[in-house]
Amino acid sequence: MSRESSTDQPKYLRIAAELRAILERGDYAPGDRLPGENTLAADFGVASLTMRQALGLLRGEGLVGSRKGSGWYVEDFRPIRRRGIPRLARDQWGSGKTIWSADDDRSPDVDQVTVTEGAVAPQHIAEVLDLAENETVCVRSRRYVMEGRPVMLAASYLPQTLVAGSAITEANPGPGGIYARLADLGHAPTRFREEIRVRMPSGEEVARLSIPADRSVIKLARTALDADGRAVEVNEMTMDSAAYVLDYEFDA
């Protein structure tokens, strides 16, 4: 490993860049143990604390992880390629498939699900759903895991008057999920809008996603609208940024 070149960047950033290039080049395979911090520090001619900062940065990006008493390893989790457009096509959920089957060759499991009826919606959700005063919502909260790793938290908000008594209020809404059930109710989604931003996680998100506190999360809010232009669902998702690749492909 070569020493860092002289730049105005802090040392740990320059070292992180070199290590990132080494990992992307494939010098270490997924799951491989990296040399110890002291060895790496000596190779780069820096203090152990500086090397720890560089490794911490790469951990935040999901490239490496640490195991207590065992050192640093190259992460071996293959990010989920989330294909944002085909997964929401009507011939996907309308045929009883899960939207996840459009993403890649794996599907996540739901290990936590809570359905709350008659809830008061947050103000920004009430505005998007155009709720009347005192109108409540059904909230479907889930945690998704892939290969035993939490990857996403999601909370869907639907007008209570629209979904009351339907399978949407059950933990398992059936084939095709809630979009197929909305179609059964005469409110099939015909258009979607997604808004994406990135921020640092809250303490609760760190705990529920089992991620480092310095790793950013992707906040994705999706609104489903029916043929009349009525917003029938708002789904707020919090994703481990290291677990996803957001893929959007569409015609010019």
Side-chain angles (χ1 to χ4, degrees), residues 7 9 27 29-30 54 60 68 90 116 126 134 138 146 159 161 165 177 182-183 197 218 231 241 243-244:
T7 74
Q9 276 191 321
D27 289 14
K68 189 174 181 180
R90 183 160 185 167
T116 305
N134 298 323
C138 173
M146 180 74 84
T161 54
L182 283 169
R197 60 192 176 95
I218 299 169
S241 62
Y244 279 91

Side-chain angles (χ1 to χ4, degrees), residues 128-147:
V128 174
L129 292 176
D130 194 24
L131 300 179
E133 187 176 356
N134 298 323
E135 188 175 358
T136 60
V137 291
C138 173
V139 186
R140 298 180 52 85
S141 300
R142 293 91 70 202
R143 185 176 78 163
Y144 293 88
V145 297
M146 180 74 84
E147 299 168 358

